[in-house]
Structures are given as structure tokens and as C-alpha cells.
Amino acid sequence: MNRESVLTALTDYILEVNYQGYKPDPRKVLAVRTSDRTASLRNAGTPIRQEVYYFIEGEVFPVVGVASARDPVFKRFQDPEVVGPGHRLPQEWLPGAQSIISFFFPYSE
């Protein structure tokens, strides 16, 4: 990630949280653009392609990512040191796929 933009976004968040009238908002996200890895702090609305969201308030912190089905990074999953040749590409799962949406919900058990 672009260190400077992450630092700026989180500094703004910390200053905002310490303001006396602040009310927590579970829609608050750190949005990171995959194209240039810059980050910004905003409320989650309609997901924007090519952004990864880190929810920073609330009890659950899911990670959501959206990418092109043709992104060359998916081919790397077939490398033996990553996942392996058995990993299927997005086009193999769903011919004509345009986008991939990934969700990760952390858990403690």
C-alpha cells in the first residue's frame, strides 16, 4: 500500500474519533485502490471496482475485494509455490466472467 496515503487516512480518522461529538459509524472504511495502492477514509457505499475495503469500525471487520476476472494475478495461483496447478481460473469457473468479488470474515475460533 502507499504508506503516505494510509498514514494520512488513519491520522485523519484518529483525529476525527477524538473529537467530542464523534459517533461511531459501522460503514467507515479504509478504501485502497488496487491501481496505485493509495488509501482514503470514507463511508462505504456502493462498492467501486478495483478497490479493497478494510472496515475499521463495528464488531466484524470483513475484507472485501473486487477485481477483473482477467487480472493476471489469478494465473499466479496456479504456480506450485502459491496454490498449485489444480487451482481453477475465473474463466474456468464461469465462462464470460467479468469481475471477481471476494469476502473474508475473520473469526477467532
Side-chain angles (χ1 to χ4, degrees):
M1 279 190 254
N2 179 297
R3 183 182 174 105
E4 186 177 328
S5 66
V6 171
L7 190 58
T8 299
L10 292 177
T11 300
D12 290 346
Y13 173 70
I14 291 167
L15 292 172
E16 184 179 326
V17 167
N18 285 299
Y19 179 71
Q20 289 184 354
Y22 182 77
K23 292 188 176 27
D25 184 349
R27 299 171 303 145
K28 186 78 68 183
V29 296
L30 180 67
V32 180
R33 280 194 302 246
T34 56
S35 60
D36 60 4
R37 310 299 284 165
T38 57
S40 62
L41 187 67
R42 62 185 177 80
N43 284 340
T46 304
I48 298 174
R49 286 181 149 197
Q50 303 300 318
E51 278 192 350
V52 176
Y53 300 113
Y54 299 92
F55 287 77
I56 57 176
E57 291 193 2
E59 295 181 20
V60 178
F61 303 94
V63 178
V64 180
V66 180
S68 169
R70 289 177 176 60
D71 192 319
V73 75
F74 292 114
K75 185 76 174 143
R76 290 258 0 257
F77 288 126
Q78 293 182 325
D79 292 350
E81 66 275 7
V82 181
V83 175
H87 187 273
R88 294 173 66 187
L89 298 172
Q91 297 296 326
E92 295 172 331
W93 278 103
L94 182 64
Q98 299 294 313
S99 299
I100 303 299
I101 301 173
S102 300
F103 294 92
F104 173 74
F105 292 95
Y107 57 92
S108 59
E109 293 182 24

